[in-house]
Amino acid sequence: MCFRYFAQYLVFASLLLLVQPLFQQLQLFGGVQMEGMDLKVRNSLIATLLGLVTGSVTGLVGVGGGTIMVPGMTILMGFAQKTAQGTALLASIAPSIVSATTYIASGNFVPSLLFGILPGVSVGSLVGANIAVRSQDGFLRLFCASVLLLSGLRSLLSTKRPVQTAEEVDDNEILKPSKKVPEEGFLTSSRCKLHYKYLNQGIKGKNPLVLLHMAPRSMDEFKEFIDEMAKNRDWKRPVILFDLPGYGTSDRLKDIPMKRLSDEILTGLRSLGIRSKVDIFGHLLGAHVAMSMASRKPKRVRKLALADPIYLTAETREMVADWAKSAPKPQVDENGAFLGDIWNKRSQFVPPDLNYRCVMDELRAADTEDSSSFSVSKTPIEDILPKVKAPSLVLWSLGVVGLFDSFGWKIGENRALVETGLPKADVIEIADANIDGLCTQTSAYSDPVFAYLES
């Protein structure tokens, strides 16, 4: 808002500079002395006021001398254009140093750029000053007024939109037209490198579907789901898959708060230039990330599909955190027996090719496997659910519920808290589905998910 006001001032000051000779003829401002006040006293008061305003604006927006002191000295004090410019340049040294010191102390500067900027500014100032002292006042006044006018109009035209909240600004950034991006690659944010796949980019008129995997899997968990999707032409839509931070081939990060996980995915969507609201399908950890995204940016999410979004109370969150700390980790040995231990965990439940994929994901996430437990156990779901506005489909894999209940986590007992805490939640139970059910009983998930998204 302050930049818009400053732009309005620039336009106003430029117009005053253009008609300044008329003021002198009519004895306005600088041509009239205040009754009972010496001219030097009056000019000193005006100069003090100009200095105060100039210093404040210099610190706020980085400019001030030429834009405030020059119009003020020529219009209010009656000085010639050259005299005003020379005095303003000299007077700007002190506020520039003071303001720059404050910015430098807070780390808001780039030292390496000074090596290129300082020589250029020095040479340009010398050339400009020599041209100015050889020019007529009328020309200088017209040139100065033109610069102020163009700067003000440019700023006004670029700030036409109303004042927005941070969330609205972020939303508008996402709504910028997107260009086609590579189907697979890495997105680099300020925190980590995020592996993504962006499929079916050419399909228009449908909301993109974001797929978020469980731990310790990767986006590979949705391989069968994507295959099922390809079989049904009505289901085709843009699909974005991510390896969550710490998993797959995304950067290894440990003990990641849920807020940060969801922010990484939101940043990834922004980097991909997603134009519309998205639908999100998440499994276990992915379901919690999806709910966090929907609670933090409700305008970005159209519908949620949540597979096993387990509800942990304060008591069970502590149990999960203790379990994650005490869970045995694979011990690397010379004969590779630890690989057999990892293989045997699932071998009786899944076919060998799927077991191989699961083992590879687990090995990649070996140093961050318990991070999901940290993220979920440190995030009160009761704080997230009330902020979720998107309608939701909740899918309970009864085998998973039974497994976690055997740990004493009371998932079956507390699942109603998820169902009632979410707005407009539809609930489906998938009998006998185990933790890898998304790969082994894919249609039991894909059919209701796409029926819900298409409804």
Side-chain angles (χ1 to χ4, degrees):
M1 179 63 77
C2 61
F3 285 95
R4 185 172 181 82
Y5 288 147
F6 187 66
Q8 293 171 347
Y9 158 77
L10 291 178
V11 174
F12 179 68
S14 67
L15 297 177
L16 289 181
L17 275 177
L18 290 174
V19 298
Q20 191 258 351
L22 181 62
F23 293 157
Q24 290 181 328
Q25 293 178 14
L26 298 176
Q27 294 190 327
L28 296 176
F29 297 114
V32 177
Q33 297 185 32
M34 297 180 183
E35 187 174 344
M37 181 178 291
D38 182 80
L39 179 61
K40 289 184 178 181
V41 175
R42 182 184 75 94
N43 282 350
S44 296
L45 290 175
I46 295 175
T48 301
L49 180 62
L50 283 175
L52 179 63
V53 175
T54 300
S56 301
V57 174
T58 298
L60 184 63
V61 298
V63 296
T67 57
I68 295 176
M69 294 190 71
V70 171
M73 292 175 68
T74 56
I75 296 169
L76 299 178
M77 302 170 72
F79 284 108
Q81 186 74 22
K82 291 180 189 176
T83 305
Q85 290 182 190
T87 307
L89 286 170
L90 187 61
S92 296
I93 295 175
S96 297
I97 293 175
V98 172
S99 300
T101 302
T102 304
Y103 279 100
I104 291 171
S106 62
N108 293 299
F109 78 111
V110 183
S112 60
L113 292 181
L114 295 178
F115 296 105
I117 292 175
L118 288 179
V121 168
S122 301
V123 173
S125 298
L126 182 62
V127 172
N130 276 284
I131 294 175
V133 296
R134 290 172 172 77
S135 303
Q136 297 294 323
D137 259 27
F139 168 78
L140 286 180
R141 186 177 63 254
L142 179 62
F143 183 78
C144 182
S146 301
V147 171
L148 295 180
L149 181 62
L150 291 174
S151 300
L153 290 176
R154 182 179 180 278
S155 297
L156 285 174
L157 292 174
S158 64
T159 57
K160 251 185 169 182
R161 290 178 297 177
V163 178
Q164 300 167 314
T165 65
E167 180 176 292
E168 290 169 334
V169 170
D170 186 54
D171 290 344
N172 280 338
E173 287 179 359
I174 296 175
L175 291 173
K176 288 179 180 177
S178 61
K179 297 180 180 178
K180 190 169 183 178
V181 299
E183 186 173 284
E184 183 175 4
F186 292 89
L187 303 170
T188 303
S189 70
S190 59
R191 298 186 179 106
C192 80
K193 185 174 66 174
L194 198 65
H195 180 215
Y196 78 91
K197 282 187 180 179
Y198 189 175
L199 311 177
N200 305 331
Q201 294 182 47
I203 296 177
K204 307 297 182 183
K206 286 198 174 184
N207 298 81
L209 174 61
V210 179
L211 301 177
L212 303 175
H213 61 84
M214 71 170 182
R217 293 300 312 274
S218 66
M219 66 172 70
D220 175 76
E221 183 186 17
F222 289 98
K223 177 181 181 299
E224 288 80 5
F225 186 89
I226 295 295
D227 292 342
E228 285 291 320
M229 183 178 173
K231 296 175 185 177
N232 192 323
R233 204 166 82 180
D234 294 336
W235 290 356
K236 287 189 176 178
R237 59 172 62 208
V239 177
I240 302 123
L241 303 96
F242 291 102
D243 283 340
L244 293 173
Y247 301 95
T249 53
S250 289
D251 273 356
R252 307 265 73 78
L253 294 177
K254 294 195 69 174
D255 297 342
I256 317 165
M258 186 61 64
K259 175 182 175 181
R260 180 170 171 185
L261 275 175
S262 60
D263 281 350
E264 289 296 333
I265 303 305
L266 288 166
T267 300
L269 293 175
R270 201 160 50 239
S271 299
L272 292 172
I274 303 304
R275 300 178 59 183
S276 61
K277 287 186 174 184
V278 297
D279 297 325
I280 310 176
F281 177 30
H283 182 207
L284 285 171
L285 173 61
H288 281 260
V289 176
M291 289 187 290
S292 180
M293 291 170 61
S295 70
R296 291 176 56 70
K297 296 291 182 183
K299 293 183 179 180
R300 298 267 48 86
V301 179
R302 188 183 74 106
K303 285 185 176 183
L304 292 173
L306 308 168
D308 306 317
I310 61 175
Y311 190 106
L312 297 176
T313 62
E315 176 191 0
T316 52
R317 282 198 296 272
E318 289 297 324
M319 295 174 65
V320 171
D322 293 339
W323 172 83
K325 292 176 184 176
S326 61
K329 304 295 187 296
Q331 299 298 316
V332 179
D333 46 40
E334 292 182 359
N335 60 8
F338 75 99
L339 295 172
D341 294 338
I342 298 175
W343 180 271
N344 292 332
K345 280 196 304 185
R346 286 187 176 86
S347 59
Q348 57 182 317
F349 305 110
V350 300
D353 59 332
L354 174 58
N355 198 14
Y356 171 78
R357 289 156 49 200
C358 293
V359 169
M360 293 302 295
D361 280 343
E362 189 165 336
L363 289 174
R364 290 190 190 100
D367 55 346
T368 57
E369 184 177 356
D370 59 349
S371 290
S372 63
S373 303
F374 173 89
S375 302
V376 175
S377 65
K378 296 297 182 182
T379 306
I381 192 172
E382 60 268 24
D383 294 343
I384 293 178
L385 292 177
K387 300 175 184 176
V388 176
K389 307 301 180 186
S392 307
L393 171 68
V394 179
L395 304 102
W396 292 110
S397 312
L398 297 187
V400 175
V401 174
L403 173 65
F404 290 156
D405 278 349
S406 69
F407 298 159
W409 295 355
K410 303 177 182 178
I411 303 304
E413 179 181 326
N414 294 322
R415 62 180 244 187
L417 297 175
V418 176
E419 298 165 6
T420 57
L422 290 167
K424 309 172 188 174
D426 295 340
V427 181
I428 291 178
E429 294 182 351
I430 304 175
D432 302 324
N434 61 29
I435 202 163
D436 294 304
L438 191 55
C439 301
T440 58
Q441 297 173 247
T442 308
S443 61
Y445 294 84
S446 60
D447 289 354
V449 165
F450 280 105
Y452 179 72
L453 296 181
E454 296 295 328
S455 63

